[in-house]
Amino acid sequence: MMDVPSTGKMSRRTFLDYFLGLSVVAWLAAVLYPIIDYFRVPPQTEAAPSSVVAGSVKDFKPNSGKVFRFGNEPAILVDTPDGKLEAFSAVCTHLQCTVQYRPDMQRIWCACHGGVYDLNGRNISGPPPRPLTGYKVAVKGDDIVVSKS
Amino acid sequence: MNKESKMMRWLNERYNLSLIEHFAEEKKVPHFRGSFWYYFGGVSLFLFIVQVVTGILLLMYYQPGAQTAYESVRFIVMKVQFGWLIRSIHSWSANLMILSVIIHMFSVYFTKAFRKPRELTWYSGFILLALCLTFGFSGYLLPWNTLSYFATKVGTEIVGVVPFVGKPVMEVLRNGSDVTTATLTRFFALHVAVLPALFTVILGVHLLFIQVQGISEPESWKYLPESKKSHIPFFPNFVLRDVLLWLIVLNVLAILAVYFPWELGHKAEPFAPAPIGIKPEWYFLFMFQSLRFFPPKLLGVDGEVLGISLFGLAGFLWFLVPFWDSKTSKGSRNRIVNYVGIGVVLYIIVFTVIGARAK
Amino acid sequence: MKKIIIFLVFLAVIALPNVSNARTQEKKPVDKCLSCHTDIGSDEAASYMSDVHFKAGVTCAGCHGGNASVEDQDAAMNPKKGYIGVPKPSAIPQMCGKCHGLARTTFRNEYHLDDVVDQFMSSVHGRALNQSSDGPTCISCHGIHNIADVSSVKSPAYPTNVPKTCAKCHSNPDYMKKFNPGLPVDQYEKYLTSVHGERNEAGDPKPATCVSCHSNHLIRPVKDPRSPVYPTNIPETCARCHSNKAYMAEYHIPTDQYENYKQSVHGIALLQNSDLSAPACNSCHGNHGAVPPGVSSVASVCGTCHQANADLFDKSVHRAAFAKAKLPGCVVCHSNHLVKPPFDAMIAFDGGGVCGKCHKNMTSDPAAGAIIAIRWTLDSLTRGRKDAEALLSRAEQLGMDVSDAVYSLKDVNQSLVEARVQVHSFAATSVESAAAPGLKIVAGAQKSALAAVDEYYFRRHGLGVATLIITLLAVLLFLKIRQIERRNKG
């Protein structure tokens, strides 16, 4: 095809081709790196949809409670001594501590100032000024689904 | 060289590649002052490819459903390596694609490339635009955030206003009487299965028409002698230019995705009051804004119904432009087409701007 | 208008024949009822002679109906002529109201309250009367045939007699059960133990009696927000006397409690935020048995609400030390009526510090180490949280999602509040162990904030590299295109 090409032109062309090829490889790397990395197992293997699934029915015994995350606030699910499920915001209405269930008292209790709520969320002793916000509890299959009522 | 030709020979023996080679060598693209606009078809194609790739990647982690849609998108953005990038590129690319398709359509319109014998290319292109808008509308809901939820609610409500068929169509779209997670499932199926399949087929047809008929020459070349017409070879010149532009678009996409990451917003709460100033995506804004200007009653007809009917009619007429532009196809100039086109462009720009500024 | 009113008043006067007779005849009426009943030795008739109404010329018929001017028994006590005999209890308020419900028509204005009947009937006593004829009426408090002016010590409604008068019913469990079984019946007993009660017993009419707080005719249930003893109204009710310098002068006690209380954390909670769980005056002083809590009982009084703090205090070194020094517990650091929200800087020798009140010498005091350690722990937690928040908000401003770390910071509050409660143990180790989880969360949040900021720059730099590569490729491609096109031309 090219019998007597000038050497300068020839070398420039090959240089350009070579460089072009190299940058295509670099470009491929730049595009493929994020894509391949995208498939790496993420630190937390699955999306956490549990903002409203508080737990499984199996994990609950009467006279127990569990604090779980509900949106951006902690919430508490209580299995009452009569086996009824109740859910409340776990944020104490006094100074925003997180409340917990006390099986010995059969009450919801705040460790900070000893505020006590009954199992309807009503503030019955100590400094809390207001009842806990109640949530709606539904059982779907084994899942306990808590939603804002 | 030697290696390459060896491989070519091997392939040629089996598939007769010379045909394709021949076709590629023969194919020419008109080269003139306005040929810049020819590239938007290619850009749209590139953005579609980006959408397919990033869309498939998102599908690796996305889970539709009331308790998972928002959370999984959030998971992609926060936890998955480069998930933020893929999601942002998908969103930005979607918007740029619609923009590019719209520019492509107007450039075809103003260069009169829809004329005989290319009417079918125009029709298929118009369908592709409609599919793009549906893509955008259905994809917008998938992250299940407040804005997308209410935008979908308003959008489907407008469909429901259409006389006679509106209500049933709306219910089919919503998969119920209200926008719920059932709607989400339906939109998801539309977005990842129905629309891509349809789009790919029609895009194939669209591209086939172009390959068969070649690329349209500008209006001004009609009476020009062949020697005065300037062309560049499709391969490699036009293709490489296309690739160059694609690279620039890719760069723009990357910069947009990093500097203006697409917001995730807050999870949709169907019973929460609608936030103030719900707006649709920018490409629906001019219609949305126009509907707001319609009086509630006009000539005894519900203003909204009238507005939607008018838009439907206008869209249909636009679709049919190869028909009513019959005069030009016979050889005489038809200025009306240009005036209508300029009017439409101005209308869309003005109302989009008003809509964007409205509170 | 004025004329119409005068006319109406005139009609009303006409309509009350017995009283108007008493007024118009300008001299003592000849009360035939009284003369006969005195003759037959009736006690009622005898005691009526000293009744304030007798002196004002009201005849027996004023209340009992009939005709007081005729001697004939049948004519005088003819039911057809309006004779009622012993009035039914339920009719008594209206009967007294015939005169006492009409202001500015007769007698001295102060006994004629426009709506005294309405007031009484809408009070708890009026309701009780509606329910049962055993219920209280006017005469339950004011007496029957020997009614005296309330400013007279003879009246059962005179301040020093009021407690006993109310106690007639309110200390009688059998009687009270009929109306409100839940109501305690020990108010009088408690009252006698209060400072108010002691002085009242001693004959001083100025200290508060039942009506001073509960009002008189219009007594509402304690749970009624309009009641002067509804929690949010109590401070003002007490302040009516206790903030009155002139009134309180002879008792030599301060009168600034209400002013102080209003600015205190309790006053703001109760009066401004209507937080009914916040204490009013009676929450600490008692209500019927109101006394200032003694030095030894302060901690138990505060501890009824601030349980955790009181428990810790009781087990701490300060309990014995304060008792020895006769220091009133909580009040030493937090003050009494003017309790301000506590702040960490209280734990200091100087500045706003309260420790310095007793621990004078920072260098030689054996408690110095604990004071400094406690303060340092609290400060490092609050400062750490502030730093973490600043870092997180920076990461957020950079567009990074750090909501998990922001959420984790919520538990810092818990730890901080617990640590602050532990201050009342006055032991550095307890405070430190309460603060430990908080400090850990703070460290974690700071770490993830920094990681988010790093990630932000990684993205920027990654973009830089990618852009560079793409641009390079684009430039080379451009050169290649030029080359090809030049070759084609050439």
Side-chain angles (χ1 to χ4, degrees):
Chain A
M1 237 164 93
M2 274 162 277
D3 292 323
V4 204
S6 78
T7 44
K9 251 189 183 171
M10 180 67 184
S11 66
R12 210 192 113 198
R13 225 188 110 191
T14 44
F15 173 73
L16 182 58
D17 285 344
Y18 189 70
F19 208 37
L20 195 62
L22 206 69
S23 55
V24 167
V25 171
W27 176 81
L28 269 179
V31 171
L32 288 179
Y33 171 65
I35 294 182
I36 289 167
D37 211 30
Y38 181 80
F39 285 96
R40 222 170 70 193
V41 182
Q44 184 189 336
T45 45
E46 220 188 307
S50 59
S51 68
V52 285
V53 177
S56 165
V57 178
K58 289 179 208 146
D59 302 339
F60 272 90
K61 291 188 300 287
N63 197 19
S64 69
K66 176 193 168 192
V67 174
F68 61 97
R69 184 172 170 176
F70 190 40
N72 261 337
E73 301 281 344
I76 185 168
L77 183 72
V78 176
D79 198 342
T80 67
D82 335 329
K84 249 173 67 191
L85 289 168
E86 302 277 0
F88 306 97
S89 156
V91 181
C92 182
T93 53
H94 177 225
L95 284 177
Q96 286 75 49
C97 290
T98 303
V99 297
Q100 53 187 283
Y101 184 70
R102 281 276 295 265
D104 53 337
M105 295 161 76
Q106 303 195 348
R107 292 272 186 270
I108 297 167
W109 177 75
C110 178
C112 289
H113 294 96
V116 180
Y117 302 86
D118 70 8
L119 297 187
N120 290 314
R122 278 193 295 259
N123 46 327
I124 50 172
S125 155
R130 278 179 305 282
L132 296 170
T133 314
Y135 295 138
K136 224 162 60 188
V137 184
V139 176
K140 286 184 186 159
D142 270 352
D143 285 340
I144 300 169
V145 181
V146 175
S147 54
K148 283 189 179 157
S149 45
Chain B
M1 268 296 174
N2 216 1
K3 236 183 199 169
E4 197 185 310
S5 46
K6 214 175 181 178
M7 198 169 83
M8 288 301 263
R9 209 180 310 131
W10 188 91
L11 280 169
N12 225 340
E13 277 168 16
R14 285 158 183 81
Y15 299 106
N16 193 11
L17 282 184
S18 58
L19 245 162
I20 300 171
E21 216 175 314
H22 186 71
F23 175 79
E25 267 170 26
E26 283 296 292
K27 192 171 156 64
K28 288 184 298 183
V29 178
H31 192 63
F32 65 107
R33 228 157 44 95
S35 59
F36 169 72
W37 299 105
Y38 280 25
Y39 291 96
F40 278 93
V43 168
S44 306
L45 177 64
F46 171 68
L47 290 170
F48 177 67
I49 294 167
V50 170
Q51 284 306 84
V52 170
V53 172
T54 54
I56 289 172
L57 289 174
L58 289 176
L59 205 49
M60 299 284 165
Y61 292 103
Y62 178 75
Q63 306 171 15
Q67 280 142 48
T68 50
Y70 177 83
E71 283 80 357
S72 63
V73 176
R74 195 183 149 78
F75 178 74
I76 290 171
V77 172
M78 283 187 64
K79 300 273 157 114
V80 177
Q81 307 290 329
F82 289 104
W84 56 273
L85 181 69
I86 304 291
R87 198 236 159 188
S88 256
I89 287 188
H90 193 73
S91 305
W92 271 114
S93 173
N95 284 278
L96 292 188
M97 179 178 167
I98 286 173
L99 183 66
S100 151
V101 167
I102 289 173
I103 293 173
H104 179 52
M105 179 188 74
F106 278 109
S107 65
V108 166
Y109 182 90
F110 284 115
T111 54
K112 314 286 164 27
F114 55 79
R115 276 183 208 152
K116 188 185 167 190
R118 294 186 176 80
E119 298 97 324
L120 287 179
T121 320
W122 170 262
Y123 296 143
S124 59
F126 190 90
I127 295 170
L128 287 176
L129 170 65
L131 287 177
C132 272
L133 296 178
T134 322
F135 255 129
F137 186 65
S138 59
Y140 196 52
L141 178 68
L142 298 187
W144 198 246
N145 57 30
T146 316
L147 272 182
S148 72
Y149 174 81
F150 285 103
T152 305
K153 211 167 163 153
V154 173
T156 44
E157 238 153 52
I158 288 174
V159 173
V161 173
V162 175
F164 310 117
V165 291
K167 272 265 141 48
V169 167
M170 182 188 83
E171 291 203 351
V172 167
L173 270 179
R174 286 182 172 183
N175 197 1
S177 57
D178 201 357
V179 176
T180 59
T181 41
T183 320
L184 181 65
T185 317
R186 183 146 290 187
F187 273 38
F188 176 65
L190 256 182
H191 191 81
V192 305
V194 180
L195 291 174
L198 271 178
F199 197 92
T200 310
V201 170
I202 295 173
L203 180 63
V205 171
H206 190 71
L207 292 176
L208 187 72
F209 287 156
I210 295 164
Q211 297 315 314
V212 169
Q213 295 175 329
I215 289 169
S216 155
E217 290 180 357
E219 215 181 354
S220 51
W221 284 18
K222 206 151 198 169
Y223 306 106
L224 232 54
E226 206 61 31
S227 58
K228 285 269 177 90
K229 295 179 182 174
S230 151
H231 285 95
I232 59 167
F234 177 73
F235 189 84
N237 300 40
F238 189 80
V239 169
L240 285 183
R241 281 159 181 264
D242 241 356
V243 169
L244 181 59
L245 191 55
W246 291 10
L247 284 175
I248 293 168
V249 171
L250 184 65
N251 232 348
V252 170
L253 264 183
I255 290 168
L256 285 174
V258 173
Y259 280 94
F260 307 98
W262 207 265
E263 272 186 34
L264 182 54
H266 294 287
K267 186 175 174 168
E269 272 190 42
F271 301 112
I276 304 158
I278 282 286
K279 278 182 201 171
E281 292 267 72
W282 60 269
Y283 38 86
F284 292 121
L285 210 52
F286 75 97
M287 288 195 263
F288 182 73
Q289 191 60 33
S290 313
L291 287 179
R292 285 170 74 175
F293 281 143
F294 266 91
K297 281 272 181 216
L298 206 68
L299 306 169
V301 189
D302 190 72
E304 213 170 26
V305 174
L306 193 71
I308 288 165
S309 314
L310 280 180
F311 271 114
L313 188 69
F316 191 61
L317 285 177
W318 188 257
F319 177 69
L320 291 180
V321 63
F323 273 111
W324 51 265
D325 181 39
S326 53
K327 209 162 141 199
T328 17
S329 61
K330 283 180 202 124
S332 47
R333 289 173 75 112
N334 187 355
R335 285 226 171 79
I336 292 174
V337 175
N338 282 342
Y339 294 149
V340 168
I342 290 168
V344 168
V345 171
L346 284 179
Y347 179 85
I348 290 178
I349 290 175
V350 167
F351 272 77
T352 304
V353 169
I354 295 173
R357 293 169 66 102
K359 289 271 146 58
Chain C
M1 191 70 198
K2 223 175 189 173
K3 277 184 181 166
I4 297 174
I5 293 173
I6 292 171
F7 179 68
L8 283 176
V9 166
F10 177 73
L11 275 185
V13 171
I14 300 284
L16 300 166
N18 301 303
V19 178
S20 56
N21 281 347
R23 293 282 293 156
T24 45
Q25 287 170 13
E26 291 285 322
K27 53 178 183 180
K28 289 241 167 132
V30 191
D31 192 339
K32 304 282 195 232
C33 312
L34 197 58
S35 50
C36 270
H37 282 268
T38 312
D39 289 348
I40 57 171
S42 146
D43 288 345
E44 286 86 355
S47 57
Y48 189 62
M49 302 292 210
S50 58
D51 195 291
V52 67
H53 295 110
F54 173 76
K55 289 171 195 157
V58 179
T59 65
C60 300
C63 297
H64 297 286
N67 190 347
S69 52
V70 288
E71 209 149 347
D72 177 47
Q73 193 179 335
D74 290 334
M77 293 164 73
N78 185 354
K80 284 178 189 151
K81 291 263 171 70
Y83 176 72
I84 352 176
V86 180
K88 273 192 291 182
S90 58
I92 290 176
Q94 271 70 24
M95 193 188 73
C96 299
K98 279 196 301 191
C99 302
H100 290 277
L102 289 170
R104 288 171 292 279
T105 53
T106 51
F107 303 119
R108 304 207 311 263
N109 282 346
E110 63 258 43
Y111 302 120
H112 301 273
L113 309 147
D114 276 318
D115 46 1
V116 69
V117 181
D118 285 344
Q119 281 194 6
F120 177 80
M121 288 315 290
S122 55
S123 75
V124 280
H125 294 137
R127 272 218 330 260
L129 179 62
N130 272 338
Q131 284 156 8
S132 157
S133 57
D134 280 358
T137 68
C138 311
I139 58 172
S140 314
C141 298
H142 291 282
I144 311 179
H145 292 108
N146 56 353
I147 296 174
D149 192 305
V150 280
S151 60
S152 149
V153 75
K154 278 190 257 167
S155 166
Y158 182 73
T160 51
N161 300 327
V162 164
K164 275 190 244 38
T165 303
C166 298
K168 269 196 316 202
C169 300
H170 280 273
S171 292
N172 181 347
D174 288 329
Y175 178 78
M176 289 307 292
K177 247 188 264 180
K178 283 190 276 191
F179 300 98
N180 188 347
L183 202 67
V185 288
D186 58 351
Q187 299 95 332
Y188 180 59
E189 251 175 90
K190 279 189 176 164
Y191 177 75
L192 292 179
T193 68
S194 74
V195 176
H196 294 145
E198 280 170 11
R199 291 189 185 276
N200 181 281
E201 279 287 283
D204 183 351
K206 279 173 78 180
T209 66
C210 315
V211 295
S212 318
C213 300
H214 291 279
S215 90
N216 41 28
H217 298 112
L218 184 57
I219 295 179
R220 291 197 163 102
V222 179
K223 281 184 185 151
D224 187 320
R226 294 167 299 177
S227 163
V229 288
Y230 186 71
T232 53
N233 301 331
I234 284 179
E236 220 188 311
T237 301
C238 299
R240 282 212 311 262
C241 301
H242 280 275
S243 290
N244 185 336
K245 280 205 178 79
Y247 194 79
M248 299 304 292
E250 59 183 283
Y251 304 107
H252 308 293
I253 58 170
T255 50
D256 59 352
Q257 301 96 331
Y258 181 57
E259 277 314 305
N260 283 338
Y261 173 80
K262 271 202 292 193
Q263 297 164 42
S264 77
V265 63
H266 297 138
I268 288 168
L270 181 67
L271 303 176
Q272 289 179 23
N273 305 334
S274 301
D275 179 349
L276 294 188
S277 67
C281 313
N282 64 325
S283 312
C284 299
H285 294 282
N287 29 30
H288 300 112
V291 278
V295 165
S296 58
S297 62
V298 165
S300 2
V301 168
C302 299
T304 53
C305 294
H306 300 274
Q307 236 170 40
N309 313 42
D311 286 350
L312 288 170
F313 179 81
D314 277 349
K315 287 181 206 138
S316 78
V317 290
H318 277 144
R319 186 187 157 87
F322 279 20
K324 209 170 134 197
K326 295 223 166 16
L327 289 170
C330 315
V331 171
V332 174
C333 299
H334 294 283
S335 123
N336 45 19
H337 298 110
L338 188 60
V339 179
K340 286 284 187 183
F343 48 97
D344 294 340
M346 285 167 73
I347 308 161
F349 292 94
D350 41 25
V354 292
C355 305
K357 284 184 183 174
C358 302
H359 301 279
K360 295 285 183 204
N361 196 333
M362 193 170 151
T363 43
S364 62
D365 198 299
I371 294 171
I372 291 165
I374 290 173
R375 173 73 184 278
W376 189 83
T377 307
L378 294 180
D379 280 358
S380 46
L381 193 51
T382 45
R383 206 184 314 112
R385 176 166 70 171
K386 223 170 127 194
D387 290 351
E389 277 168 352
L391 273 171
L392 287 170
S393 96
R394 171 148 183 252
E396 270 175 344
Q397 274 164 13
L398 292 177
M400 307 302 291
D401 188 338
V402 282
S403 57
D404 280 340
V406 172
Y407 175 77
S408 77
L409 278 187
K410 295 207 165 173
D411 285 339
V412 174
N413 182 47
Q414 165 111 3
S415 179
L416 182 60
V417 173
E418 277 180 35
R420 282 174 176 159
V421 170
Q422 286 298 330
V423 169
H424 299 93
S425 72
F426 308 103
T429 46
S430 324
V431 178
E432 277 157 10
S433 60
L439 287 168
K440 206 173 140 196
I441 297 167
V442 162
Q446 286 184 355
K447 208 174 129 195
S448 47
L450 288 172
V453 173
D454 280 351
E455 169 71 9
Y456 171 82
Y457 286 108
F458 169 74
R459 289 179 187 183
R460 289 289 184 277
H461 297 150
L463 174 76
V465 172
T467 310
L468 211 67
I469 291 171
I470 297 174
T471 311
L472 178 72
L473 185 57
V475 168
L476 290 171
L477 199 63
F478 176 72
L479 291 175
K480 183 78 188 167
I481 292 168
R482 246 186 32 187
Q483 194 185 48
I484 291 169
E485 282 175 1
R486 205 174 285 158
R487 183 160 39 114
N488 281 358
K489 275 182 191 156

